[in-house]
Amino acid sequence: MSETTTTTVLQALNAALDEALSADERVFLLGEDLADPASGVSHVTSGLSTKHGADRVLNTPISEAAIAGAAIGAAIEGRLPVFEIMIMDFIGIAVDQIVNLAAKARFSSGGRTPCPITVRTASFGGLGNGATHSQSLEAWFMHVPGIKVVVPSTPADAKGLLKSAVFDPDPVLFLETTALYGKRGPVPSGDYTIPLGRADIKRAGSDVTIVTYGRGVYDALDAATALAAEGIDAEVLDLRTLVPLDLPSVLESVGRTGRAVVTHYAVEFAGPGAEIAARISSELFGRLRAPVARVGGRYRPIPAAANLEAAVYPNAERIASAARATVGYDK
Amino acid sequence: MTLAQAVDARLRKGIGRGEFMAVIWPSRGQEAVAAGLTAALRPDDRLVTTYRGIHDLVSKGVPLTEVIGEILGRSIGASRGKGGTMHITAPDQGVALTTGIVGAGVPVAAGLALAFKQQGLDRVAAVTFGDGATNTGSFHEGMNLASTWQLPVVFVCQNNLWAEMTPIRDTMNIDQVVDRRLAYGMAGERVDGNDPEAMYRASAAAVERARTGGGPTFLEAVTFRFEGHYFGDQQKYLPAEELAAAREADPIPRYRQKLLDAGVLSEDDLTAIDTDATARVDAALAEVLAAPAPELTELEQDVFVDMEGIPS
Ligand SMILES: Cc1ncc(C[n+]2csc(CCOP(=O)(O)OP(=O)(O)O)c2C)c(N)n1
């Protein structure tokens, strides 16, 4: 067993970038305000330009299309660029480059032109910033063959997954969650990575599986605690990666518990949970003891007022009540 | 020029008479731009082109079987049929990307150049695009980034005066596209895109500037597209006088005459070049037509390196 240290998600992300920059001269970062002393709006890149040089951590103009395009060009030439789209809502301007160039490069070239970019961006929701600074748009990218989608929840996952993303030979959208930057937890020290596409059981249980990722993990764990007091033993499965999707682990868990609740902050309607619920339903049709439930963000632009914003997102209570309903279904 | 014209002409002929099916955006008329530009590039320099890129690809030296094979969707195409006309890449010949999204290649070229700079290489990236592309955000963002970072890029606007069915005068309130560089403090010039030698001189100067650390250059090459936007475009929107005037400036007969007048080549030499080009295109086409369609197993590869956990 390697030693662990306790850090925040923010520190874990910083460490992952620091180690990646040290490990391989092909790695470089680009984005708005990334260099010290500003070190980005979120400070994920704090200290990195000072340590690795301004030619490894590039400050860019406010030009999301150019940032993505330049990363793509550099990746095609064998570099390993990691670019930051400050807040996910701004990604619309770069979507053309990410979706139409990066995600297609390998396939459309018959394998000749790989494009190993990493897009780091953050879902900023929960901070009262309103409709254009709070969205969870991961379903957009899940819908496009050719780009992986990673959403870490814990410090250890954040570090291990980001290092895998940076060195992955294909494009990866790495979606951070601003509201989780301060979460603390153990992180194995030394050089470790978590392979993309492996879900993780964050709490074992036998009555119902709560399938989630990112911020949803914490609500699911709170829900599980509440449910345990009522004698319902919930398992919390953290997908960690939405593409590739660890369906075998999902089916294994739900096959055991017979019940599933899928929850996420992205809008529930046509959201990631629709796909996951459909897969569970068709693969485990005869073994499910209740219909698969979904608890997602409401189909509303994210409001600014704290009480309204909270009412749009899922929470432990909504998840617990969905879980109770699945458990009560066949009673 | 002759070879690029021959590929374009043979494809149009083949599609027109139902010999094979393919989608192309003819580049007839724009050959001199590509010839002059690519002659100024080294084999290890990189080019980003567009859907209207047959002349660029052929001039950069992409094997004809790969170009024609890809356009016809055969297994011997550059991307084994998975890319099509709008997505040809040929790393060995320095074609980094062909883009089907107007303007999208501009920032990518900046990125290629950034990689050269980071690695201390004296290589240059060139990117071609139309006049219409200079109205997109990607163009402006890419120009600004390349200029701010003084990247070794040559931006080449193939100004054929039309964007699909809309004339340039309806889409920008400036007389010369080249003026757009002024907003970015970038060097540049307007070139007669129907004169391969003028195009070569301007490209060579731009490439030299880029290679020696002088930063990017914007070239506006004024030319024309004789066959309309896509193959089969009837060009009902195009005034007959405008087409007639453009045909007067057709770069191919014009350059032939110049070579004859200067005594560089004889009629026989020129005929031999034409014959050779036609023969090479016919041979490549025959090879392409004899090649099988891509295997369906192609669909199981290249979405990612590792296809585990990837939806079918
Ligand atoms: C972003 C985008 N918008 C619209 C189109 C459809 N489209 C294809 S070609 C074209 C005209 C482009 O004109 P120009 O840049 O002048 O290039 P040309 O075709 O004349 O070489 C348009 C609008 C597209 N491919 N991409």
Side-chain angles (χ1 to χ4, degrees), chain A residues 10-11 58 75 104 115 123 144 146 150 158-159 163-164 169 174 180 202 229 237 260 262 304:
Chain A
L10 192 79
Q11 289 165 328
L58 307 182
K104 268 69 169 179
C115 189
S123 178
V144 175
V150 179
K159 184 173 171 191
K163 287 183 73 178
S164 291
F174 190 88
L180 298 184
K202 291 287 195 282
L237 188 81
V262 188

Side-chain angles (χ1 to χ4, degrees), chain A residues 108-110, chain B residues 64-89 288:
Chain A
S108 292
S109 67
Chain B
L64 298 185
T65 48
E66 293 198 4
V67 176
I68 298 171
E70 195 56 35
I71 292 172
L72 267 57
R74 303 298 165 113
S75 54
I76 65 168
S79 312
R80 300 195 303 280
K82 292 205 269 196
T85 309
M86 289 198 277
H87 310 98
I88 294 177
T89 80
V288 166

Side-chain angles (χ1 to χ4, degrees), chain A residues 68-229:
Chain A
I72 288 165
I76 287 173
E77 270 307 311
R79 312 301 285 170
L80 293 175
V82 182
F83 69 92
E84 178 178 296
I85 299 292
M86 190 187 292
I87 301 177
M88 187 172 214
D89 310 69
F90 312 158
I91 210 164
I93 299 158
V95 160
D96 174 50
Q97 293 284 337
I98 298 167
V99 162
N100 284 320
L101 299 185
K104 268 69 169 179
R106 180 180 294 280
F107 189 82
S108 292
S109 67
R112 278 178 164 184
T113 305
C115 189
I117 58 164
T118 302
V119 190
R120 276 188 49 246
T121 189
S123 178
F124 216 64
L127 306 176
N129 284 291
T132 63
H133 287 63
S134 304
Q135 297 172 89
S136 303
L137 302 170
E138 54 272 26
W140 289 7
F141 298 90
M142 291 174 72
H143 199 70
V144 175
I147 179 156
K148 299 182 180 180
V149 180
V150 179
V151 193
S153 62
T154 65
D157 289 356
K159 184 173 171 191
L161 292 167
L162 182 52
K163 287 183 73 178
S164 291
V166 173
F167 294 104
D168 194 276
D170 286 301
V172 180
L173 180 91
F174 190 88
L175 178 53
E176 299 164 13
T177 307
T178 310
L180 298 184
Y181 279 153
K183 288 274 181 199
R184 301 182 74 81
V187 178
S189 36
D191 183 33
Y192 93 106
T193 56
I194 296 173
L196 305 185
R198 306 269 169 82
D200 183 44
I201 294 174
K202 291 287 195 282
R203 181 191 193 280
S206 55
D207 294 328
V208 53
T209 304
I210 306 175
V211 181
T212 187
Y213 58 89
R215 235 179 133 184
V217 169
Y218 296 90
D219 298 317
L221 288 170
D222 288 347
T225 304
L227 291 165

Side-chain angles (χ1 to χ4, degrees), chain A residues 28 59 61 63-66 69-70 73-74 77 79 96-97 106-113 146-148 170 244-245, chain B residues 46 66 78-80 82-83 87 89 101 104 107-108 111-112 115-116 118-119 123 141 145 149 301-302 304-305 308-309:
Chain A
F28 72 100
N59 267 348
S63 301
E64 283 77 10
E77 270 307 311
R79 312 301 285 170
D96 174 50
Q97 293 284 337
R106 180 180 294 280
F107 189 82
S108 292
S109 67
R112 278 178 164 184
T113 305
I147 179 156
K148 299 182 180 180
D170 286 301
L245 182 66
Chain B
R46 288 282 183 265
E66 293 198 4
S79 312
R80 300 195 303 280
K82 292 205 269 196
H87 310 98
T89 80
I101 305 288
V108 173
L112 296 165
F116 301 151
Q118 288 177 334
Q119 297 170 90
R123 290 161 58 190
E141 291 194 11
L145 194 75
W149 289 352
Q301 296 171 49
D302 299 328
F304 299 107
V305 171
E308 193 192 330

